[in-house]
Amino acid sequence: ETTVTIRGVAYQLRGDADPQHIGRLAAYVDDKMRALEEATRTQSPAKLAILASLTLADELFQERSTRESERERISDKAGRLDALLDEALKDD
């Protein structure tokens, strides 16, 4: 069991994850919620939780998109290198 604090409220969490990892996740969520609270002047925990969830989901989707673009770029380069290697080996 791990206890984390988000916006001054302690939560006891159970699971197999490393407590330090859970603490880092909670700190990240806390930072997001505090930043949103300042930016929006919203104090409603429910609204902040929804805004934070949407912000984190956006970060996740952007990261996935970037990773997919990188995967496609690497696959394209690997294909070109493979074709160049095949061509070079034909000449031998």
Side-chain angles (χ1 to χ4, degrees), residues 21-34:
H21 179 68
I22 293 172
R24 286 190 299 271
L25 293 175
Y28 190 73
V29 170
D30 186 59
D31 288 345
K32 289 291 177 190
M33 289 182 75
R34 288 184 187 282

Side-chain angles (χ1 to χ4, degrees), residues 20-65:
Q20 288 181 329
H21 179 68
I22 293 172
R24 286 190 299 271
L25 293 175
Y28 190 73
V29 170
D30 186 59
D31 288 345
K32 289 291 177 190
M33 289 182 75
R34 288 184 187 282
L36 287 164
E37 184 176 24
E38 288 179 23
T40 64
R41 305 276 186 223
T42 298
Q43 301 228 336
S44 164
K47 286 182 181 180
L48 288 171
I50 290 168
L51 290 172
S53 296
L54 290 171
T55 300
L56 295 170
D58 182 51
E59 288 178 7
L60 173 64
F61 278 54
Q62 286 182 29
E63 184 62 34
R64 284 180 176 172
S65 177

